[in-house]
PDB file of all heavy atoms in Angstrom:
ATOM      1  N   MET A  68      -9.054  17.166  21.687  1.00 47.00           N
ATOM      2  CA  MET A  68      -8.059  16.073  21.399  1.00 47.00           C
ATOM      3  C   MET A  68      -7.853  15.378  22.717  1.00 47.00           C
ATOM      4  O   MET A  68      -7.542  15.862  23.769  1.00 47.00           O
ATOM      5  CB  MET A  68      -6.753  16.714  20.984  1.00 47.00           C
ATOM      6  CG  MET A  68      -5.750  15.720  20.535  1.00 47.00           C
ATOM      7  SD  MET A  68      -6.100  14.839  18.954  1.00 47.00           S
ATOM      8  CE  MET A  68      -7.399  15.638  18.122  1.00 47.00           C
ATOM      9  N   ASP A 164     -12.177  -9.456  15.141  1.00 97.00           N
ATOM     10  CA  ASP A 164     -13.263  -8.809  14.359  1.00 97.00           C
ATOM     11  C   ASP A 164     -13.021  -7.199  14.384  1.00 97.00           C
ATOM     12  O   ASP A 164     -13.421  -6.570  13.430  1.00 97.00           O
ATOM     13  CB  ASP A 164     -14.596  -9.160  14.853  1.00 97.00           C
ATOM     14  CG  ASP A 164     -15.769  -8.635  14.047  1.00 97.00           C
ATOM     15  OD1 ASP A 164     -15.775  -9.117  12.849  1.00 97.00           O
ATOM     16  OD2 ASP A 164     -16.578  -7.828  14.435  1.00 97.00           O
ATOM     17  N   GLY A 174       5.841  -6.301  -4.134  1.00 83.00           N
ATOM     18  CA  GLY A 174       5.130  -7.280  -4.999  1.00 83.00           C
ATOM     19  C   GLY A 174       5.659  -8.658  -4.827  1.00 83.00           C
ATOM     20  O   GLY A 174       6.749  -8.813  -4.243  1.00 83.00           O
ATOM     21  N   ASP A 182       8.423 -15.503 -17.982  1.00 97.00           N
ATOM     22  CA  ASP A 182       9.101 -14.358 -18.434  1.00 97.00           C
ATOM     23  C   ASP A 182      10.315 -14.709 -19.356  1.00 97.00           C
ATOM     24  O   ASP A 182      10.536 -14.148 -20.396  1.00 97.00           O
ATOM     25  CB  ASP A 182       9.770 -13.546 -17.193  1.00 97.00           C
ATOM     26  CG  ASP A 182       8.731 -12.692 -16.516  1.00 97.00           C
ATOM     27  OD1 ASP A 182       7.493 -12.796 -16.864  1.00 97.00           O
ATOM     28  OD2 ASP A 182       9.054 -11.981 -15.591  1.00 97.00           O
ATOM     29  N   ARG A 190      12.033 -12.550 -29.877  1.00 91.00           N
ATOM     30  CA  ARG A 190      13.031 -11.965 -30.870  1.00 91.00           C
ATOM     31  C   ARG A 190      12.844 -12.561 -32.282  1.00 91.00           C
ATOM     32  O   ARG A 190      13.128 -11.972 -33.243  1.00 91.00           O
ATOM     33  CB  ARG A 190      14.435 -12.244 -30.414  1.00 91.00           C
ATOM     34  CG  ARG A 190      14.767 -11.522 -29.125  1.00 91.00           C
ATOM     35  CD  ARG A 190      16.123 -11.830 -28.640  1.00 91.00           C
ATOM     36  NE  ARG A 190      16.229 -13.240 -28.272  1.00 91.00           N
ATOM     37  CZ  ARG A 190      17.375 -13.826 -27.842  1.00 91.00           C
ATOM     38  NH1 ARG A 190      18.411 -13.132 -27.822  1.00 91.00           N
ATOM     39  NH2 ARG A 190      17.272 -15.134 -27.492  1.00 91.00           N
ATOM     40  N   GLN A 215       0.847 -12.000  -6.268  1.00 90.00           N
ATOM     41  CA  GLN A 215       1.739 -10.822  -6.507  1.00 90.00           C
ATOM     42  C   GLN A 215       1.256  -9.551  -5.938  1.00 90.00           C
ATOM     43  O   GLN A 215       2.121  -8.633  -5.648  1.00 90.00           O
ATOM     44  CB  GLN A 215       1.971 -10.651  -8.016  1.00 90.00           C
ATOM     45  CG  GLN A 215       2.807 -11.699  -8.655  1.00 90.00           C
ATOM     46  CD  GLN A 215       3.103 -11.429 -10.122  1.00 90.00           C
ATOM     47  OE1 GLN A 215       2.144 -11.063 -10.805  1.00 90.00           O
ATOM     48  NE2 GLN A 215       4.244 -11.685 -10.613  1.00 90.00           N
ATOM     49  N   ASN A 223      -4.563 -12.207   2.750  1.00 97.00           N
ATOM     50  CA  ASN A 223      -4.406 -13.588   3.157  1.00 97.00           C
ATOM     51  C   ASN A 223      -4.318 -13.649   4.695  1.00 97.00           C
ATOM     52  O   ASN A 223      -4.787 -14.693   5.247  1.00 97.00           O
ATOM     53  CB  ASN A 223      -3.184 -14.171   2.564  1.00 97.00           C
ATOM     54  CG  ASN A 223      -3.393 -14.614   1.134  1.00 97.00           C
ATOM     55  OD1 ASN A 223      -4.290 -15.491   0.948  1.00 97.00           O
ATOM     56  ND2 ASN A 223      -2.711 -13.948   0.201  1.00 97.00           N
ATOM     57  N   ASP A 246       6.984   3.523   8.245  1.00 98.00           N
ATOM     58  CA  ASP A 246       5.691   4.287   8.376  1.00 98.00           C
ATOM     59  C   ASP A 246       4.496   3.406   8.757  1.00 98.00           C
ATOM     60  O   ASP A 246       3.614   3.901   9.415  1.00 98.00           O
ATOM     61  CB  ASP A 246       5.358   4.928   6.980  1.00 98.00           C
ATOM     62  CG  ASP A 246       6.211   6.206   6.755  1.00 98.00           C
ATOM     63  OD1 ASP A 246       6.540   6.920   7.777  1.00 98.00           O
ATOM     64  OD2 ASP A 246       6.688   6.487   5.639  1.00 98.00           O
TER      65      ASP A 246
ATOM     66  N   ALA B 202      22.523 -13.352 -25.639  1.00 83.00           N
ATOM     67  CA  ALA B 202      22.122 -14.726 -25.573  1.00 83.00           C
ATOM     68  C   ALA B 202      21.570 -15.201 -26.940  1.00 83.00           C
ATOM     69  O   ALA B 202      20.769 -14.435 -27.609  1.00 83.00           O
ATOM     70  CB  ALA B 202      21.214 -14.926 -24.433  1.00 83.00           C
ATOM     71  N   TYR B 208      16.956 -15.047 -16.514  1.00 97.00           N
ATOM     72  CA  TYR B 208      17.172 -13.980 -15.632  1.00 97.00           C
ATOM     73  C   TYR B 208      18.554 -13.771 -15.221  1.00 97.00           C
ATOM     74  O   TYR B 208      19.051 -12.646 -14.984  1.00 97.00           O
ATOM     75  CB  TYR B 208      16.223 -14.189 -14.304  1.00 97.00           C
ATOM     76  CG  TYR B 208      14.953 -13.364 -14.394  1.00 97.00           C
ATOM     77  CD1 TYR B 208      13.893 -13.910 -15.160  1.00 97.00           C
ATOM     78  CD2 TYR B 208      14.817 -12.082 -13.862  1.00 97.00           C
ATOM     79  CE1 TYR B 208      12.687 -13.160 -15.299  1.00 97.00           C
ATOM     80  CE2 TYR B 208      13.595 -11.391 -13.934  1.00 97.00           C
ATOM     81  CZ  TYR B 208      12.542 -11.889 -14.678  1.00 97.00           C
ATOM     82  OH  TYR B 208      11.365 -11.256 -14.750  1.00 97.00           O
ATOM     83  N   TYR B 229       8.898   1.311  -5.792  1.00 94.00           N
ATOM     84  CA  TYR B 229       7.545   1.605  -5.403  1.00 94.00           C
ATOM     85  C   TYR B 229       7.401   3.085  -4.951  1.00 94.00           C
ATOM     86  O   TYR B 229       6.346   3.732  -5.117  1.00 94.00           O
ATOM     87  CB  TYR B 229       7.069   0.740  -4.259  1.00 94.00           C
ATOM     88  CG  TYR B 229       6.750  -0.626  -4.714  1.00 94.00           C
ATOM     89  CD1 TYR B 229       7.714  -1.622  -4.772  1.00 94.00           C
ATOM     90  CD2 TYR B 229       5.394  -0.984  -4.847  1.00 94.00           C
ATOM     91  CE1 TYR B 229       7.410  -2.871  -5.228  1.00 94.00           C
ATOM     92  CE2 TYR B 229       5.098  -2.309  -5.236  1.00 94.00           C
ATOM     93  CZ  TYR B 229       6.068  -3.267  -5.417  1.00 94.00           C
ATOM     94  OH  TYR B 229       5.718  -4.411  -5.813  1.00 94.00           O
ATOM     95  N   SER B 245       7.591  11.868   5.462  1.00 97.00           N
ATOM     96  CA  SER B 245       7.696  10.648   4.576  1.00 97.00           C
ATOM     97  C   SER B 245       6.361  10.482   3.809  1.00 97.00           C
ATOM     98  O   SER B 245       5.292  10.272   4.411  1.00 97.00           O
ATOM     99  CB  SER B 245       8.007   9.418   5.449  1.00 97.00           C
ATOM    100  OG  SER B 245       8.151   8.381   4.660  1.00 97.00           O
ATOM    101  N   ARG B 268      -7.431  14.572  12.400  1.00 98.00           N
ATOM    102  CA  ARG B 268      -8.042  14.355  13.642  1.00 98.00           C
ATOM    103  C   ARG B 268      -7.196  14.145  14.908  1.00 98.00           C
ATOM    104  O   ARG B 268      -7.505  14.529  15.918  1.00 98.00           O
ATOM    105  CB  ARG B 268      -9.061  13.160  13.520  1.00 98.00           C
ATOM    106  CG  ARG B 268     -10.338  13.459  12.713  1.00 98.00           C
ATOM    107  CD  ARG B 268     -11.077  12.149  12.729  1.00 98.00           C
ATOM    108  NE  ARG B 268     -12.417  12.296  12.026  1.00 98.00           N
ATOM    109  CZ  ARG B 268     -13.117  11.275  11.660  1.00 98.00           C
ATOM    110  NH1 ARG B 268     -12.770  10.003  12.000  1.00 98.00           N
ATOM    111  NH2 ARG B 268     -14.272  11.463  11.067  1.00 98.00           N
ATOM    112  N   ARG B 291      -4.081 -10.269 -16.728  1.00 94.00           N
ATOM    113  CA  ARG B 291      -4.245 -10.680 -15.422  1.00 94.00           C
ATOM    114  C   ARG B 291      -5.706 -10.516 -14.927  1.00 94.00           C
ATOM    115  O   ARG B 291      -6.306 -11.450 -14.287  1.00 94.00           O
ATOM    116  CB  ARG B 291      -3.386  -9.794 -14.518  1.00 94.00           C
ATOM    117  CG  ARG B 291      -1.870 -10.094 -14.591  1.00 94.00           C
ATOM    118  CD  ARG B 291      -1.074  -9.147 -13.878  1.00 94.00           C
ATOM    119  NE  ARG B 291       0.265  -9.547 -13.669  1.00 94.00           N
ATOM    120  CZ  ARG B 291       1.088  -9.025 -12.760  1.00 94.00           C
ATOM    121  NH1 ARG B 291       0.722  -7.983 -12.018  1.00 94.00           N
ATOM    122  NH2 ARG B 291       2.366  -9.373 -12.581  1.00 94.00           N
ATOM    123  N   LYS B 353     -14.158  -2.182   6.807  1.00 95.00           N
ATOM    124  CA  LYS B 353     -14.403  -3.478   7.317  1.00 95.00           C
ATOM    125  C   LYS B 353     -13.806  -4.432   6.307  1.00 95.00           C
ATOM    126  O   LYS B 353     -14.120  -4.395   5.079  1.00 95.00           O
ATOM    127  CB  LYS B 353     -15.838  -3.772   7.475  1.00 95.00           C
ATOM    128  CG  LYS B 353     -16.178  -5.095   8.205  1.00 95.00           C
ATOM    129  CD  LYS B 353     -16.012  -4.890   9.678  1.00 95.00           C
ATOM    130  CE  LYS B 353     -15.742  -6.199  10.411  1.00 95.00           C
ATOM    131  NZ  LYS B 353     -15.365  -5.967  11.819  1.00 95.00           N
ATOM    132  N   ARG B 359     -10.424 -14.609  -1.702  1.00 87.00           N
ATOM    133  CA  ARG B 359      -9.469 -13.526  -2.211  1.00 87.00           C
ATOM    134  C   ARG B 359     -10.136 -12.576  -3.164  1.00 87.00           C
ATOM    135  O   ARG B 359      -9.666 -11.449  -3.362  1.00 87.00           O
ATOM    136  CB  ARG B 359      -8.240 -14.313  -2.804  1.00 87.00           C
ATOM    137  CG  ARG B 359      -7.342 -14.791  -1.747  1.00 87.00           C
ATOM    138  CD  ARG B 359      -6.441 -15.839  -2.110  1.00 87.00           C
ATOM    139  NE  ARG B 359      -5.839 -16.515  -0.945  1.00 87.00           N
ATOM    140  CZ  ARG B 359      -6.312 -17.458  -0.165  1.00 87.00           C
ATOM    141  NH1 ARG B 359      -7.546 -17.921  -0.605  1.00 87.00           N
ATOM    142  NH2 ARG B 359      -5.724 -17.922   0.811  1.00 87.00           N
TER     143      ARG B 359
END
Side-chain angles (χ1 to χ4, degrees):
Chain A
M68 189 66 18
D164 190 59
D182 283 4
R190 290 176 301 176
Q215 287 180 319
N223 279 299
D246 284 325
Chain B
Y208 261 80
Y229 283 82
S245 179
R268 281 179 180 172
R291 287 170 167 197
K353 190 77 203 171
R359 288 160 189 85

